[in-house]
Amino acid sequence: MGKVKRLHWASMRPSERRDAVISIFGKIIKWVFVGVMCVFTLYPVIYTLLGSFKTNAELTLGGNILPETWQIENYIYAFQKLDFGKYTVNSIVLAVLTVIFTVSTSSMAAYVIARRNFPGKKILSGCYLASMFISVGSVALYPLYSLLHSVGLTNNMVGLALLLTGGQAANIFMIAGFVRSVPKELDEAAIIDGAGTFRIFWQIIVPAIKPILGVVALFAFRTAWNEFVTAQVFTMSNPNLKTLSVAVANLRYSANAAAEWHIMTAGASIALLPILIVYLLANRQFISGLTAGAVKG
């Protein structure tokens, strides 16, 4: 086999040899880059997960990445003494509500923009497109809080979920690209059979755009689960509504912060694991949605 390869190499022209060497070096650089990125991405996650099983002294002094003695008590303390179980439930409720609101509103808006003609459609689409490049950030927190307070939605998760749902310009344009790829003849056939607008949307459009809806749902879940600033502001008046990210961050600024690094890493691990599990379960749907969007969008 080696002799065949040497003969093949000897029979190649100088330009072919040069191209072969460049191709080999390109592959080596590519895999080195991928390996380095994997290390930088996975190391903080692994360090946090393993650090959550260490004592505070072992964690602050450094040393081996593996704990000397696995401290399950860190998680027990976090759930029993710090009410992390309640905060986890709050985060789950917030994430689920945000996903429901995001997927339902963005898909219906995208369907109308992609399938219906109405006065001001181009202006509306232009405003949505412009909003993708505008970020008001924390400046809008006070007026948004005042608005939700005026309608009585500051003491429940529904208001915060509606706030995190937002304008969704990017989601609407992504879904609209998928809706346009569905043949209009299906709509026309359904209308002949007596189907209305909502029935066409629910029974024809939604099944056809499930991949992109899965992508939007995953992004919405991630945003709601990791949100800190907005959740912090909107749960200050009712600490029982704290989310997990807010509870973990508050440990950092507590009076015993220096003695609770092991509890903070346990809390961070509790906050980290659900989003990893959701991604692993939805990984195939996520990749298929993005790749299909690259063709259909």
Side-chain angles (χ1 to χ4, degrees):
M1 189 68 179
K3 185 180 293 185
V4 173
K5 289 184 177 179
R6 286 195 296 270
L7 290 174
H8 177 68
W9 177 263
S11 64
M12 294 173 65
R13 292 179 303 209
S15 60
E16 293 176 339
R17 292 180 183 179
R18 184 177 62 252
D19 293 341
V21 171
I22 292 174
S23 177
I24 292 172
F25 273 107
K27 291 180 180 179
I28 292 174
I29 293 174
K30 179 182 71 174
W31 286 111
V32 168
F33 176 77
V34 171
V36 171
M37 292 303 297
C38 286
V39 170
F40 276 101
T41 302
L42 295 177
Y43 179 78
V45 177
I46 296 173
Y47 183 85
T48 300
L49 293 175
L50 294 177
S52 66
F53 293 99
K54 296 181 179 181
T55 63
N56 189 64
E58 185 182 358
L59 189 61
T60 53
L61 293 176
N64 296 328
I65 188 172
L66 291 175
E68 295 180 2
T69 304
W70 295 78
Q71 302 291 327
I72 305 297
E73 292 80 5
N74 295 343
Y75 288 90
I76 298 175
Y77 181 86
F79 277 103
Q80 291 185 349
K81 302 295 184 180
L82 300 179
D83 288 334
F84 269 37
K86 178 175 66 177
Y87 302 141
T88 301
V89 172
N90 290 343
S91 290
I92 293 174
V93 171
L94 176 63
V96 171
L97 288 175
T98 304
V99 167
I100 293 173
F101 293 157
T102 299
V103 172
S104 59
T105 56
S106 62
S107 60
M108 287 189 285
Y111 170 67
V112 171
I113 289 176
R115 280 290 204 263
R116 294 289 184 266
N117 292 318
F118 53 89
K121 176 180 176 179
K122 291 184 177 180
I123 297 176
L124 178 63
S125 299
C127 291
Y128 265 119
L129 185 62
S131 68
M132 295 174 62
F133 304 96
I134 300 174
S135 177
V136 293
S138 57
V139 177
L141 286 179
Y142 179 73
L144 287 173
Y145 183 86
S146 300
L147 176 62
L148 291 182
H149 180 73
S150 64
V151 295
L153 290 176
T154 53
N155 287 320
N156 55 68
M157 284 296 179
V158 175
L160 184 54
L162 288 173
L163 187 64
L164 294 179
T165 300
Q168 309 181 75
N171 292 338
I172 290 173
F173 281 108
M174 282 195 301
I175 299 174
F178 270 72
V179 174
R180 292 189 185 98
S181 68
V182 180
K184 288 186 177 181
E185 289 77 8
L186 296 177
D187 296 27
E188 296 169 357
I191 292 173
I192 293 174
D193 290 338
T197 301
F198 183 78
R199 185 177 175 186
I200 294 172
F201 168 75
W202 183 250
Q203 295 187 347
I204 296 177
I205 301 299
V206 170
I209 62 173
K210 280 184 178 180
I212 192 61
L213 294 183
V215 173
V216 170
L218 186 60
F219 282 149
F221 186 92
R222 183 196 63 182
T223 299
W225 188 268
N226 295 329
E227 179 59 39
F228 168 69
V229 175
T230 305
Q232 170 84 321
V233 171
F234 280 78
T235 58
M236 290 177 65
S237 60
N238 190 351
N240 290 324
L241 295 178
K242 276 184 184 179
T243 59
L244 195 55
S245 59
V246 173
V248 173
N250 287 347
L251 283 178
R252 175 66 180 85
Y253 303 104
S254 65
N256 298 323
E260 292 183 339
W261 278 105
H262 57 312
I263 306 300
M264 278 187 275
T265 54
S269 298
I270 296 170
L272 182 65
L273 285 175
I275 194 67
L276 289 178
I277 293 172
V278 168
Y279 176 75
L280 290 175
L281 294 177
N283 180 43
R284 183 171 299 178
Q285 183 82 358
F286 177 73
I287 298 299
S288 66
L290 290 181
T291 53
V295 176
K296 296 183 180 183

